[in-house]
Amino acid sequence: MTALEASGVDQGSAVDAKASAAGPRPMTPVTNHKRRDTIRKWGEITLFVGPALVLFLTFVVYPVVSAARYSFYKWNGVSQFSDAQYIGFENYARALFGGTDPDLKQAFTTQYSQPFWDALGHNFAIIGLSMVVQLPLALLIALTLNRKFPGRSSVRVIMFAPYVLSEVIAGVMWLIIFDPNGIATDFMHSIGLNPPAGGWLEDQTWAFWVVFFVITWKYIGLAIILFLAGLSGVPEDLQEAASIDGASWWQIQWRINIPLIGPTIRIWAFLSIIGSIQLFDMVWVLNQGGTTGQYSTIATYMMQIGFFRSDWGYGSAIAVIMFFISFVIAIAYMLVVLRNDNTDRVRKAR
Amino acid sequence: MSATAPPMRPVRKRSFDRSVYLSVGLALVGVALTLGPILYLVLGGFKTQGDLAENPTGFPDPFQWQNYWSILSAPLFWRQLLNSTLVALATTLGVVLLGTMAAYPLARYKFRGREFFFVIFTTGLMFPLTVAVLPLYLLLRDMGISGLAGLVIPQIAFGLPVTIIILRPFLKALPMELEEAAFMDGVSRIGFFWRMLLPLAKPGMVTVGVLAFIGSWNAYLLPLLLLTGDPTGMTLPLGVTTFQGQHSSATTMIMAYTSLAMVPALVFFLFMERRIVDGLTGAVKG
């Protein structure tokens, strides 16, 4: 990596300096001129793209490749990596079904496989609930805010604000609200209901829903803003024509607006799915996924195992699985769902 | 506010049915659910610990500035604010400058392998920080890069793909005659980049810059791994969780600290709201 860096950058600037020094002199033979131009062009390209490419390869691509490499080893991250023990696909096997050793299978299923599938289940539950709860809710709010009424733009700004707040601030805020002695508990008492006995985030049934509520509060603003942007592109004469023909507000939304912002909805769904797979910050702030991992995600599980319990090989295997899942979903979604939108766009452009 | 309706045309009037009251009602519920928790947090910072327990929803009584004052009069909060600002500014500058530089040939030069380089950068979208974070931590440790610099460099690297993807079509859309005219006048390509392209690309650069700034300002995962130990070296988000851990019994102090940490982001948001929204919707539309 460093060799590439040195040669790439040095060559670039050297060639460039030479090129610009020779640049303004006119009237050189044509062939020389052409060749010098090519060198100069590549020099410039190296100069412009080089720094970004080096940084990207070093700090994005190399770590990702390393994660794939570590995932085949048993390694604690402290000792030299050269001393680490190569164990093939054992880390993956442990996560997926308790490992290949029949004697340890039982123990490893409890220790590795169970928490892994629990975490993955939470990720997918969040994806499903986003589509079933966040999507209709955001759509309803966006359609509402698409109508003209006084104060509308202020409402838009306010409802988008949580999206801009950091996960930490939102997380700590809700942590205080859902404290066992906090205001959420008081509220339950005041309406005559019993709050969960062990605390909101410890209760096996409540905890996940509380976390999903917080996630919705934080991220629904993005959906609303995207949908509103889509709605502003729907031609108004369509709606007016429908309304002259006697269509009610609901009919206009259902038959015209919602179908026409379909592409925006599908892109949001894509972002939401990928975001849900990689969800980390918010869940980590909310007690790191719960004391027994009752709302852990793949990413929080990876951090707990890899970094805080120093099982880097296993943690890296989890990271690779997470990447693999989002990669497959992304490709499938692009091929199946988004492709139609793109061909639509091309057709329209023609 | 700005949407006081123009004189109503007959058509509008017909579509203005009773359900608009439903819409306004829904909007009010949404606003209450959004602002309620934030107000609770801010007001809680003005309460005493006892007042919070006895009177959780009411106005602070006695109304006391002490929590906020003790945070603002100590250097810790200001140090973390400064750290966050420096990291966010450096990240933004790096992402915008390197991103624009890389996007320029990828958009406006004709050369073999151009699409290949572009695709390399776009693959970056599929590598989230979460996947790379453990090896990245080791890499930075081995390279001896620590502290705030260790935060800035990877953040720039991870910000580049989306920046290049947004900026390339933007730069492509500028008319090609610009270059031809500039070269006729004897301006070099590098001169063209500095003197013509950068000023013209400003709207696009502001968009990606705002997104990079917010991303850096809110970042938590990388600081969590890199900035361990001394709280004065932390950025605000990590500072908030550390403060929360150290003052777990003083809820109103945590409320005050969190509220204060929220202020810069909200102020920035109010000033840049249009830019942020345009950036996000633009990035999605591609």
Side-chain angles (χ1 to χ4, degrees):
Chain A
M1 205 53 65
T2 45
L4 189 148
E5 181 181 341
S7 72
V9 171
D10 284 347
Q11 224 171 52
S13 47
V15 168
D16 182 68
K18 214 194 295 168
S20 52
R25 219 180 303 146
M27 295 290 161
T28 33
V30 177
T31 45
N32 252 348
H33 190 87
K34 221 172 190 175
R35 221 181 99 209
R36 210 185 54 202
D37 257 16
T38 317
I39 295 173
R40 178 174 168 171
K41 192 171 88 176
W42 279 99
E44 286 166 6
I45 292 169
T46 317
L47 181 76
F48 280 122
V49 185
L53 194 64
V54 168
L55 216 56
F56 179 73
L57 291 176
T58 314
F59 293 99
V60 180
V61 176
Y62 175 72
V64 170
V65 173
S66 301
R69 202 160 51 111
Y70 297 158
S71 71
F72 296 110
Y73 288 83
K74 182 170 180 53
W75 186 39
N76 61 11
V78 181
S79 65
Q80 288 291 317
F81 180 66
S82 49
D83 299 338
Q85 183 195 352
Y86 178 81
I87 52 171
F89 283 91
E90 180 63 22
N91 284 323
Y92 293 93
R94 279 187 199 173
L96 296 173
F97 50 83
T100 47
D101 187 337
D103 296 336
L104 292 168
K105 191 160 178 136
Q106 189 96 41
F108 279 0
T109 304
T110 330
Q111 197 186 338
Y112 292 101
S113 185
Q114 196 60 46
F116 166 77
W117 287 107
D118 282 351
L120 190 61
H122 298 145
N123 285 96
F124 277 97
I126 289 168
I127 291 177
L129 285 169
S130 302
M131 298 307 134
V132 179
V133 178
Q134 283 178 8
L135 174 59
L137 196 60
L139 206 50
L140 185 69
I141 297 172
L143 292 174
T144 295
L145 296 182
N146 196 38
R147 317 182 77 166
K148 295 195 170 98
F149 60 86
R152 176 180 72 156
S153 46
S154 312
V155 176
R156 285 184 182 191
V157 171
I158 289 170
M159 295 205 66
F160 184 55
Y163 185 74
V164 190
L165 287 184
S166 75
E167 276 80 1
V168 167
I169 288 176
V172 170
M173 182 181 88
W174 286 107
L175 213 49
I176 292 170
I177 291 173
F178 282 111
D179 188 273
N181 301 315
I183 189 171
T185 304
D186 294 341
F187 174 75
M188 288 296 269
H189 284 308
S190 74
I191 58 170
L193 292 172
N194 280 329
W200 294 93
L201 287 169
E202 288 307 315
D203 190 276
Q204 293 296 331
T205 43
W206 276 93
F208 179 78
W209 293 98
V210 168
V211 171
F212 181 70
F213 170 80
V214 174
I215 291 170
T216 305
W217 184 87
K218 174 75 174 67
Y219 293 112
I220 202 164
L222 178 69
I224 296 172
I225 286 295
L226 292 180
F227 295 166
L228 278 171
L231 285 170
S232 70
V234 176
E236 234 173 273
D237 27 331
L238 270 181
Q239 302 166 32
E240 297 195 350
S243 128
I244 288 171
D245 289 346
S248 73
W249 186 80
W250 278 111
Q251 281 173 320
I252 294 175
Q253 307 315 314
W254 196 246
R255 298 286 170 85
I256 297 174
N257 281 343
I258 295 179
L260 280 177
I261 62 164
T264 311
I265 295 177
R266 288 189 278 275
I267 292 220
W268 167 80
F270 177 65
L271 294 177
S272 169
I273 291 171
I274 297 297
S276 304
I277 292 282
Q278 295 161 1
L279 189 67
F280 174 81
D281 290 9
M282 187 59 108
V283 179
W284 191 261
V285 175
L286 296 172
N287 298 339
Q288 307 179 1
T291 39
T292 57
Q294 59 269 32
Y295 47 90
S296 59
T297 63
I298 289 286
T300 63
Y301 178 57
M302 179 199 82
M303 279 294 279
Q304 236 149 20
I305 294 284
F307 196 75
F308 291 96
R309 278 189 234 150
S310 293
D311 197 343
W312 288 66
Y314 183 71
S316 297
I318 301 295
V320 172
I321 294 175
M322 178 166 67
F323 166 71
F324 189 72
I325 294 171
S326 35
F327 182 76
V328 168
I329 291 179
I331 297 291
Y333 202 86
M334 278 181 194
L335 286 180
V336 179
V337 183
L338 296 181
R339 197 174 69 162
N340 289 332
D341 290 343
N342 286 334
T343 49
D344 276 359
R345 209 180 287 169
V346 172
R347 230 177 16 231
K348 261 182 223 150
R350 279 177 193 156
Chain B
M1 289 291 165
S2 61
T4 30
M8 284 194 186
R9 286 160 291 160
V11 174
R12 268 276 153 253
K13 210 164 205 169
R14 204 174 305 170
S15 68
F16 185 95
D17 48 85
R18 269 170 301 144
S19 68
V20 85
Y21 295 112
L22 203 74
S23 300
V24 176
L26 188 72
L28 286 179
V29 173
V31 168
L33 275 174
T34 310
L35 286 187
I38 296 177
L39 275 179
Y40 172 70
L41 188 77
V42 175
L43 283 179
F46 289 108
K47 291 177 179 175
T48 59
Q49 200 63 33
D51 187 25
L52 183 76
E54 284 162 29
N55 159 38
T57 47
F59 204 70
D61 176 35
F63 192 93
Q64 53 119 14
W65 288 88
Q66 208 199 323
N67 292 331
Y68 284 105
W69 179 242
S70 66
I71 294 164
L72 289 177
S73 58
L76 180 67
F77 175 80
W78 297 106
R79 265 308 293 268
Q80 293 178 347
L81 183 67
L82 181 71
N83 291 341
S84 271
T85 311
L86 289 177
V87 168
L89 284 179
T91 303
T92 308
L93 192 74
V95 166
V96 171
L97 186 67
L98 295 182
T100 316
M101 276 167 63
Y104 168 53
L106 295 177
R108 299 180 77 87
Y109 277 44
K110 285 197 180 69
F111 62 94
R112 215 192 304 175
R114 186 177 71 168
E115 296 309 307
F116 171 73
F117 282 116
F118 183 62
V119 167
I120 287 189
F121 281 114
T122 55
T123 56
L125 285 188
M126 287 184 294
F127 302 145
L129 181 61
T130 344
V131 170
V133 76
L134 297 178
L136 185 62
Y137 168 79
L138 292 177
L139 177 71
L140 291 169
R141 196 184 65 184
D142 293 346
M143 288 175 122
I145 305 175
S146 64
L148 300 181
L151 217 52
V152 171
I153 296 170
Q155 279 182 3
I156 294 175
F158 275 88
L160 284 172
V162 79
T163 307
I164 291 171
I165 289 168
I166 294 179
L167 280 180
R168 189 168 104 129
F170 188 89
L171 295 183
K172 253 189 175 160
L174 300 174
M176 281 294 168
E177 289 79 21
L178 281 175
E179 255 133 321
E180 286 161 22
F183 296 156
M184 292 269 232
D185 293 343
V187 179
S188 71
R189 281 199 192 254
I190 293 161
F192 172 79
F193 176 79
W194 278 109
R195 274 180 280 162
M196 301 210 47
L197 197 86
L198 282 190
L200 285 170
K202 218 168 139 195
M205 287 162 68
V206 171
T207 297
V208 293
V210 165
L211 294 181
F213 191 90
I214 295 178
S216 167
W217 188 268
N218 292 343
Y220 181 59
L221 176 58
L222 212 48
L224 181 69
L225 293 186
L226 296 178
L227 306 179
T228 46
D230 181 15
T232 55
M234 291 177 179
T235 53
L236 265 180
L238 189 62
V240 167
T241 51
T242 308
F243 190 88
Q244 175 211 10
Q246 287 167 349
H247 298 74
S248 52
S249 55
T251 314
T252 56
M253 275 297 275
I254 302 171
M255 290 170 109
Y257 205 90
T258 314
S259 301
L260 286 172
M262 185 161 59
V263 171
L266 285 185
V267 170
F268 181 75
F269 168 63
L270 285 179
F271 278 104
M272 297 301 242
E273 192 255 342
R274 210 56 260 167
R275 291 274 182 204
I276 297 169
V277 170
D278 287 352
L280 286 170
T281 52
V284 167
K285 277 180 196 156

mmCIF file of all heavy atoms in Angstrom, chain A residues 24 39 64 114 126 150 155 157 164 186 223 242 259 271 274 276 283 293 319 327 335:
data_model
loop_
_atom_site.group_PDB
_atom_site.id
_atom_site.type_symbol
_atom_site.label_atom_id
_atom_site.label_comp_id
_atom_site.label_asym_id
_atom_site.label_seq_id
_atom_site.Cartn_x
_atom_site.Cartn_y
_atom_site.Cartn_z
ATOM 1 N N PRO A 24 4.018 25.879 -21.937
ATOM 2 C CA PRO A 24 3.673 27.034 -22.758
ATOM 3 C C PRO A 24 4.541 27.186 -24.011
ATOM 4 O O PRO A 24 4.216 27.994 -24.863
ATOM 5 C CB PRO A 24 3.929 28.216 -21.812
ATOM 6 C CG PRO A 24 4.154 27.628 -20.460
ATOM 7 C CD PRO A 24 4.647 26.249 -20.684
ATOM 8 N N ILE A 39 1.317 12.150 -21.696
ATOM 9 C CA ILE A 39 1.985 12.054 -20.391
ATOM 10 C C ILE A 39 1.409 13.080 -19.432
ATOM 11 O O ILE A 39 1.097 12.805 -18.290
ATOM 12 C CB ILE A 39 3.508 12.265 -20.545
ATOM 13 C CG1 ILE A 39 4.107 11.134 -21.366
ATOM 14 C CG2 ILE A 39 4.168 12.343 -19.177
ATOM 15 C CD1 ILE A 39 5.565 11.359 -21.714
ATOM 16 N N VAL A 64 -11.425 -3.545 4.861
ATOM 17 C CA VAL A 64 -12.479 -4.512 4.530
ATOM 18 C C VAL A 64 -11.862 -5.849 4.132
ATOM 19 O O VAL A 64 -12.295 -6.922 4.582
ATOM 20 C CB VAL A 64 -13.386 -3.961 3.400
ATOM 21 C CG1 VAL A 64 -14.319 -5.043 2.899
ATOM 22 C CG2 VAL A 64 -14.181 -2.769 3.897
ATOM 23 N N GLN A 114 -26.617 -18.924 19.024
ATOM 24 C CA GLN A 114 -27.889 -18.372 19.502
ATOM 25 C C GLN A 114 -27.889 -16.847 19.494
ATOM 26 O O GLN A 114 -28.770 -16.230 18.897
ATOM 27 C CB GLN A 114 -28.188 -18.930 20.904
ATOM 28 C CG GLN A 114 -29.629 -18.743 21.340
ATOM 29 C CD GLN A 114 -30.602 -19.437 20.405
ATOM 30 O OE1 GLN A 114 -30.399 -20.589 20.036
ATOM 31 N NE2 GLN A 114 -31.630 -18.721 19.962
ATOM 32 N N ILE A 126 -36.712 -5.328 12.547
ATOM 33 C CA ILE A 126 -36.724 -3.874 12.353
ATOM 34 C C ILE A 126 -37.019 -3.547 10.882
ATOM 35 O O ILE A 126 -37.787 -2.632 10.583
ATOM 36 C CB ILE A 126 -35.391 -3.256 12.813
ATOM 37 C CG1 ILE A 126 -35.312 -3.331 14.334
ATOM 38 C CG2 ILE A 126 -35.266 -1.813 12.348
ATOM 39 C CD1 ILE A 126 -33.959 -3.017 14.903
ATOM 40 N N PRO A 150 -51.733 26.924 7.183
ATOM 41 C CA PRO A 150 -50.797 27.849 7.818
ATOM 42 C C PRO A 150 -49.840 27.113 8.748
ATOM 43 O O PRO A 150 -50.255 26.215 9.477
ATOM 44 C CB PRO A 150 -51.700 28.803 8.603
ATOM 45 C CG PRO A 150 -53.094 28.438 8.310
ATOM 46 C CD PRO A 150 -53.130 27.237 7.456
ATOM 47 N N VAL A 155 -43.897 23.068 10.496
ATOM 48 C CA VAL A 155 -44.133 21.680 10.891
ATOM 49 C C VAL A 155 -43.128 20.767 10.199
ATOM 50 O O VAL A 155 -42.551 19.868 10.818
ATOM 51 C CB VAL A 155 -45.579 21.257 10.562
ATOM 52 C CG1 VAL A 155 -45.790 19.786 10.876
ATOM 53 C CG2 VAL A 155 -46.567 22.103 11.339
ATOM 54 N N VAL A 157 -40.100 21.494 9.136
ATOM 55 C CA VAL A 157 -38.770 21.657 9.727
ATOM 56 C C VAL A 157 -38.695 20.916 11.062
ATOM 57 O O VAL A 157 -37.734 20.183 11.333
ATOM 58 C CB VAL A 157 -38.441 23.151 9.913
ATOM 59 C CG1 VAL A 157 -37.164 23.321 10.712
ATOM 60 C CG2 VAL A 157 -38.314 23.832 8.563
ATOM 61 N N VAL A 164 -31.534 15.040 12.196
ATOM 62 C CA VAL A 164 -30.249 15.728 12.189
ATOM 63 C C VAL A 164 -29.533 15.593 13.539
ATOM 64 O O VAL A 164 -28.316 15.705 13.615
ATOM 65 C CB VAL A 164 -30.443 17.215 11.830
ATOM 66 C CG1 VAL A 164 -29.120 17.887 11.578
ATOM 67 C CG2 VAL A 164 -31.307 17.328 10.593
ATOM 68 N N ASP A 186 -44.046 7.004 35.018
ATOM 69 C CA ASP A 186 -45.073 7.850 35.632
ATOM 70 C C ASP A 186 -46.319 7.915 34.774
ATOM 71 O O ASP A 186 -47.448 7.848 35.269
ATOM 72 C CB ASP A 186 -44.535 9.282 35.829
ATOM 73 C CG ASP A 186 -43.409 9.328 36.844
ATOM 74 O OD1 ASP A 186 -43.304 8.362 37.632
ATOM 75 O OD2 ASP A 186 -42.649 10.308 36.836
ATOM 76 N N ALA A 223 -37.779 9.814 5.872
ATOM 77 C CA ALA A 223 -38.823 9.301 4.979
ATOM 78 C C ALA A 223 -39.788 10.423 4.600
ATOM 79 O O ALA A 223 -40.131 10.596 3.427
ATOM 80 C CB ALA A 223 -39.571 8.152 5.662
ATOM 81 N N ALA A 242 -58.503 15.616 -11.340
ATOM 82 C CA ALA A 242 -59.213 14.578 -10.605
ATOM 83 C C ALA A 242 -60.246 15.189 -9.667
ATOM 84 O O ALA A 242 -61.363 14.686 -9.527
ATOM 85 C CB ALA A 242 -58.221 13.729 -9.825
ATOM 86 N N PRO A 259 -49.127 6.323 -6.166
ATOM 87 C CA PRO A 259 -48.475 5.611 -7.273
ATOM 88 C C PRO A 259 -47.359 6.425 -7.930
ATOM 89 O O PRO A 259 -46.327 5.874 -8.302
ATOM 90 C CB PRO A 259 -49.618 5.372 -8.263
ATOM 91 C CG PRO A 259 -50.854 5.454 -7.464
ATOM 92 C CD PRO A 259 -50.585 6.396 -6.351
ATOM 93 N N LEU A 271 -32.868 2.295 1.262
ATOM 94 C CA LEU A 271 -32.007 2.916 2.266
ATOM 95 C C LEU A 271 -32.336 2.402 3.662
ATOM 96 O O LEU A 271 -31.456 2.140 4.480
ATOM 97 C CB LEU A 271 -32.169 4.439 2.241
ATOM 98 C CG LEU A 271 -31.705 5.151 0.989
ATOM 99 C CD1 LEU A 271 -31.995 6.640 1.096
ATOM 100 C CD2 LEU A 271 -30.219 4.921 0.774
ATOM 101 N N ILE A 274 -30.997 -1.275 4.163
ATOM 102 C CA ILE A 274 -29.551 -1.300 4.359
ATOM 103 C C ILE A 274 -29.184 -0.688 5.719
ATOM 104 O O ILE A 274 -28.369 -1.216 6.468
ATOM 105 C CB ILE A 274 -28.836 -0.545 3.214
ATOM 106 C CG1 ILE A 274 -29.107 -1.252 1.878
ATOM 107 C CG2 ILE A 274 -27.343 -0.459 3.462
ATOM 108 C CD1 ILE A 274 -28.567 -2.654 1.790
ATOM 109 N N SER A 276 -31.034 -0.594 8.362
ATOM 110 C CA SER A 276 -31.452 -1.485 9.445
ATOM 111 C C SER A 276 -30.464 -2.622 9.636
ATOM 112 O O SER A 276 -30.219 -3.061 10.766
ATOM 113 C CB SER A 276 -32.835 -2.081 9.159
ATOM 114 O OG SER A 276 -33.776 -1.070 8.949
ATOM 115 N N VAL A 283 -28.639 1.755 18.970
ATOM 116 C CA VAL A 283 -28.821 0.585 19.825
ATOM 117 C C VAL A 283 -27.704 0.502 20.865
ATOM 118 O O VAL A 283 -27.927 0.137 22.016
ATOM 119 C CB VAL A 283 -28.870 -0.691 18.959
ATOM 120 C CG1 VAL A 283 -29.022 -1.917 19.818
ATOM 121 C CG2 VAL A 283 -30.005 -0.602 17.966
ATOM 122 N N GLY A 293 -28.978 -9.029 25.543
ATOM 123 C CA GLY A 293 -29.075 -8.910 24.091
ATOM 124 C C GLY A 293 -30.499 -8.976 23.587
ATOM 125 O O GLY A 293 -30.733 -9.428 22.470
ATOM 126 N N ALA A 319 -18.686 -9.474 10.836
ATOM 127 C CA ALA A 319 -18.674 -8.307 9.953
ATOM 128 C C ALA A 319 -18.836 -8.731 8.496
ATOM 129 O O ALA A 319 -19.580 -8.109 7.731
ATOM 130 C CB ALA A 319 -17.371 -7.525 10.129
ATOM 131 N N PHE A 327 -24.955 -6.823 0.952
ATOM 132 C CA PHE A 327 -24.582 -6.889 -0.456
ATOM 133 C C PHE A 327 -25.637 -7.646 -1.265
ATOM 134 O O PHE A 327 -26.107 -7.156 -2.297
ATOM 135 C CB PHE A 327 -23.216 -7.590 -0.573
ATOM 136 C CG PHE A 327 -22.695 -7.674 -1.972
ATOM 137 C CD1 PHE A 327 -22.144 -6.562 -2.586
ATOM 138 C CD2 PHE A 327 -22.745 -8.868 -2.670
ATOM 139 C CE1 PHE A 327 -21.657 -6.636 -3.874
ATOM 140 C CE2 PHE A 327 -22.262 -8.958 -3.959
ATOM 141 C CZ PHE A 327 -21.717 -7.838 -4.565
ATOM 142 N N LEU A 335 -31.706 -5.239 -8.829
ATOM 143 C CA LEU A 335 -32.086 -6.009 -10.014
ATOM 144 C C LEU A 335 -33.596 -6.133 -10.134
ATOM 145 O O LEU A 335 -34.167 -5.992 -11.205
ATOM 146 C CB LEU A 335 -31.462 -7.406 -9.956
ATOM 147 C CG LEU A 335 -29.965 -7.452 -10.223
ATOM 148 C CD1 LEU A 335 -29.463 -8.880 -10.148
ATOM 149 C CD2 LEU A 335 -29.640 -6.852 -11.582
#
